[in-house]
Each structure stands twice: as C-alpha cells, then as structure tokens.
Amino acid sequence: YLSDYRTQKQEIDVVDYQDLPWQKFQERYASCAKPVLIRGVPNVDVLQKKWKREQFERRFATLPVEVGDIPYARSLGREGGLKSFAEYRTSRTEYAFVQLHPKQHGGLLNDIPKLGYISNLVEVHTQFYQGRAGTGAPMHLHIDAWNCLVYGEKRWFLMPPFQGAYSAMPIRQWVNELYPSMQVLECTQRAGDILYVPKYWSHAVLNTRESIGIAREFFNPYLS
C-alpha cells in the first residue's frame, strides 16, 4: 500500500450491481453523464482466478506492452517504449498501459468474460494496465469508458466536463503540486469494482496498491 496517499473520500455513487439493473443504469447514469462505482459485477472473479500473479506472468511473459511514467508516454513527449511484459516487470517506476489488438493480445482478450450488462455496451477499444503502487495516469479525458480493477486499489480524481484539462505530469507529482489547489471529486476503487466514467469527465488515477485490470471505451447513444 501507498499508505500516505490513500483517502476515505467516496464522492460519487457506489452501487451494488444487484441494485442497479440495466434500465436504472441507463436512467440514472449513462443518460445523464454521471459517474458511478459498481460493486459485485458478475464474472470479475473469473478474471481474478485467471490473472493470479504467477500464472499471469508465466502465460503473458512475451505480451507487448507500452510503458512509461504515464500511459502512452511517447505520444505526450515523455520517455517510454514498447517492452515485453517480462522485461517491463523488472521496472519499479514504469506503468504498463496498452490498447489491445486481437493479433498481438488475443490470449489476453480471450480471458475477459462477459461482465454482466457492462459487456453489452458497444466497444470502441479495450486497454490493459498494470503498475506498482505510486504509478498511474495524469488528468485526461475521452469518450465514455468503464474501468475494471481485477486486483489492487486505485484512487480516482474526477472533474465534470469543461472543468478539467489534459496533463502530462506524473501522477504523484500532480498530487503533490497541483491537487491541493484543485476542486475534484474523489473515490477509491477496490479489486472487483467497475467504475463508469462518462464522456468528457476529466480524470486522474493513482495506484495506491499494485494494480492490474482493463478499461474499455464505448459508444454511449445518449451522449453521442
């Protein structure tokens, strides 16, 4: 745990999947661009069984991943590059974050089970991430997405549309230098949780525990 950076704040709705049927998710969240943290989503435990540390590292040692101190570091003018997962795992400071392609990442994609109605949302692309405590993503935004944390713990910082901005600053530096003067909504995502982040909501993420999971951007007919 990165204990000094953890928080007790839960400033967005936290709802159990059993209490959030599809129609209710559409009415209260997807149609009005409101984030929600969903717990107890079916079949996340299936992925947890498949992605236990030693088993994952054995199966996916040659998996190509983009690494850097922030996701997609090279596209933002920072040092980064492509490595195999085995090469990346020797680093203590880099964050692996990669868009998955069927030819390169077919085995990993095939591991992902149907996650209730979340999997019915029309996919644009799926991303994989893995990083030690202290890594994460700086403030950024994109279309609608959901993030499934398979293992670990993540502290989220969210800002409504037109209030946030892109940043290329590593997340711990951002938390130390810029966060104290900003007004953000916060929540903690734990293993098994899925967070829905609506279109144009700026967000930054700090891994307060070593984390691994997937994120999927999708078309939201209410906000297109």
Side-chain angles (χ1 to χ4, degrees):
Y1 283 109
L2 199 68
S3 56
D4 291 346
Y5 288 83
R6 300 177 77 198
T7 181
Q8 298 299 317
K9 295 179 180 179
Q10 263 329 358
E11 296 173 329
I12 67 168
D13 290 355
V14 181
V15 185
D16 190 90
Y17 181 87
Q18 298 300 322
D19 299 323
L20 192 66
W22 171 240
Q23 184 175 358
K24 190 174 179 181
F25 170 75
Q26 294 180 86
E27 291 175 351
R28 297 193 179 184
Y29 300 103
S31 66
C32 53
K34 184 178 179 182
V36 60
L37 187 66
I38 309 173
R39 296 203 159 132
V41 176
N43 291 331
V44 177
D45 61 331
V46 173
L47 201 49
Q48 289 173 332
K49 291 176 183 176
K50 291 182 178 180
W51 285 9
K52 290 182 178 180
R53 184 193 302 273
E54 291 184 2
Q55 181 176 329
F56 186 94
E57 293 184 346
R58 183 176 63 254
R59 292 177 58 209
F60 296 112
T62 61
L63 185 81
V65 292
E66 284 278 348
V67 301
D69 58 356
I70 62 174
Y72 306 123
R74 289 184 297 176
S75 66
L76 293 169
R78 302 187 68 86
E79 186 175 346
L82 191 68
K83 294 182 178 180
S84 70
F85 189 79
E87 291 172 326
Y88 149 74
R89 286 293 288 152
T90 63
S91 169
R92 304 192 66 85
T93 59
E94 290 178 314
Y95 189 35
F97 202 100
V98 62
Q99 184 172 321
L100 300 180
H101 299 279
K103 288 186 178 180
Q104 294 177 298
H105 308 102
L108 194 150
L109 281 166
N110 289 336
D111 275 357
I112 302 172
K114 181 177 173 61
L115 302 171
Y117 58 70
I118 298 295
S119 293
N120 294 337
L121 298 165
V122 180
E123 174 188 358
V124 176
H125 55 250
T126 300
Q127 298 161 316
F128 164 81
Y129 60 83
Q130 200 279 337
R132 296 178 187 267
T135 61
M139 193 64 72
H140 64 286
L141 55 88
H142 43 64
I143 65 173
D144 288 75
W146 54 260
N147 183 297
C148 176
L149 182 58
V150 180
Y151 285 111
E153 183 182 86
K154 301 168 79 74
R155 180 179 174 184
W156 287 77
F157 310 86
L158 301 104
M159 302 182 73
F162 311 116
Q163 295 185 28
Y166 258 95
S167 172
M169 183 181 291
I171 185 60
R172 287 179 73 174
Q173 182 183 354
W174 181 88
V175 170
N176 292 334
E177 297 179 10
L178 299 184
Y179 161 75
S181 64
M182 300 180 70
Q183 292 185 331
V184 299
L185 298 175
E186 296 186 47
C187 69
T188 295
Q189 182 185 25
R190 299 184 178 90
D193 293 349
I194 288 183
L195 179 67
Y196 163 56
V197 182
K199 185 177 182 179
Y200 299 147
W201 275 71
S202 297
H203 52 283
V205 184
L206 172 64
N207 295 322
T208 49
R209 188 176 183 181
E210 184 175 1
S211 297
I212 185 169
I214 55 171
R216 180 169 290 171
E217 295 181 16
F218 64 91
F219 288 117
N220 183 345
Y222 298 104
L223 303 179
S224 59

